[in-house]
Amino acid sequence: MSVNVVSDMHRGDVRDTSTPHRELVVAWQHPVDRGIHPIALLRHRGDEYSFRYVRAVLEVPDFRPLLGFGDLREVYTSDRLFPLFAQRALDPRRPDYQRYVSDLGLDPSDATPWEQITRSSGRRNGDTLQLFPVPHVVAGQVSCSFLVHGIRHLPENRPVFDGVPHPVTAGQIGDVLDGLVPGAPLALVPEPTNANNPEAILVVAGEVPVGYVPDLLVRDLHRLREVTQVHASVIRVNGPDAPSHLRVLAELAAERAHGFEFFQDPRWAPLAH
């Protein structure tokens, strides 16, 4: 693998919108307050991978540069997926490989490491990094898959929507998830009383909250809902033996979103120029 450090980002300033899910947000979770902060963008274009920090990283308390990416103001390129992220994909030789990639809704015969980390959020036990695909907007149509977050913690959060508390138990959530099928509609309900994030958006199946939209997406999702209708549905539901963060893979879709772009406020600006 060859890794290059590039100080001039001019040729990469325009985002690749020709192929879905070719750019991932790299987020870091603070180990104490558990806040999730965007820190960088990871891109796959043709035969090249690139990594660049974004301006938001300058405001993250206690953050230190990632291993292999020590300079906040450089662009890193490689002809292979960087080891820090490649190790978040499962080796096909592992005995649990087929089960794992099937839980992600991928074909075990050709699930690339990039596809794995795109679907799985790149999570590892005890890790502080998460990955999230930049939603795809083509000809005014929005498409984005996401894993429903917070399923395990929802009962203790005592969710509130439409101004009414909707306490749920783990058993109730499990029963609802067991009844979901691919294509089933999901409601997206703002929860402004959420103590951790007033912009939080609940994912609701029927009348039962089952989790949350990932925090990294909610600010732009609120903006998108101001200009068009946003729909959500189930792509895949895994059984109760799957980790909670892999239980539900969902999809966001919207039309008539011409000119809309995600992650465009100043905190997403690259530090390297």
Side-chain angles (χ1 to χ4, degrees), residues 90-97:
L90 211 60
D91 190 317
R93 294 170 293 185
R94 285 273 300 265
D96 52 346
Y97 171 79

Side-chain angles (χ1 to χ4, degrees), residues 2-271:
S2 62
V3 179
N4 301 312
V5 179
V6 183
S7 60
D8 181 2
M9 193 57 189
H10 177 72
R11 64 185 174 88
D13 282 344
V14 178
R15 282 195 172 158
D16 179 6
T17 58
S18 60
T19 307
H21 303 154
R22 288 307 182 192
E23 194 169 30
L24 303 179
V25 175
V26 182
W28 182 76
Q29 186 171 40
H30 194 286
V32 178
D33 66 24
R34 311 305 292 169
I36 298 175
H37 306 273
I39 60 168
L41 291 169
L42 177 66
R43 174 182 290 170
H44 179 200
R45 177 182 288 175
D47 294 327
E48 183 181 84
Y49 296 87
S50 65
F51 175 95
R52 54 180 176 164
Y53 288 102
V54 295
R55 190 166 300 280
V57 74
L58 300 177
E59 303 173 359
V60 180
D62 305 316
F63 176 77
R64 294 183 178 180
L66 303 180
L67 182 65
F69 305 100
D71 193 329
L72 297 181
R73 299 186 182 275
E74 299 289 358
V75 178
Y76 298 83
T77 66
S78 171
D79 56 1
R80 295 174 61 185
L81 185 58
F82 302 101
L84 180 64
F85 303 106
Q87 65 187 2
R88 287 166 166 72
L90 211 60
D91 190 317
R93 294 170 293 185
R94 285 273 300 265
D96 52 346
Y97 171 79
Q98 290 206 5
R99 169 63 185 276
Y100 174 74
V101 294
S102 294
D103 284 349
L104 296 176
L106 298 173
D107 184 345
S109 66
D110 61 1
T112 67
W114 180 267
E115 290 171 323
Q116 288 187 50
I117 65 173
T118 296
R119 282 289 180 88
S120 70
S121 300
R123 289 188 180 183
R124 303 178 69 193
N125 288 335
D127 197 10
T128 57
L129 291 184
Q130 295 182 26
L131 305 173
F132 186 82
V134 175
H136 198 211
V137 185
V138 174
Q141 304 227 6
V142 177
S143 175
C144 176
S145 62
F146 68 95
L147 289 165
V148 176
H149 282 202
I151 293 175
R152 182 163 58 94
H153 300 291
L154 195 61
E156 65 196 57
N157 287 356
R158 298 184 58 83
V160 175
F161 63 87
D162 295 335
V164 179
H166 281 71
V168 291
T169 66
Q172 288 174 313
I173 295 173
D175 289 343
V176 171
L177 296 185
D178 289 342
L180 290 180
V181 296
L186 299 167
L188 303 177
V189 182
E191 190 188 22
T193 59
N194 187 292
N196 296 316
N197 183 4
E199 295 180 311
I201 298 177
L202 283 161
V203 177
V204 179
E207 296 295 324
V208 179
V210 295
Y212 289 92
V213 173
D215 277 354
L216 289 175
L217 187 61
V218 295
R219 184 174 300 180
D220 285 307
L221 188 53
H222 282 292
R223 284 200 306 118
L224 182 61
R225 286 160 63 101
E226 291 176 358
V227 299
T228 189
Q229 287 189 327
V230 180
H231 304 282
S233 59
V234 174
I235 296 176
R236 180 181 175 90
V237 180
N238 296 312
D241 54 338
S244 62
H245 71 277
L246 296 182
R247 284 298 308 271
V248 183
L249 179 66
E251 180 179 39
L252 291 174
E255 298 180 348
R256 298 186 298 278
H258 295 279
F260 189 91
E261 291 187 64
F262 287 81
F263 306 145
Q264 290 297 298
D265 66 51
R267 66 180 180 151
W268 297 101
L271 284 176

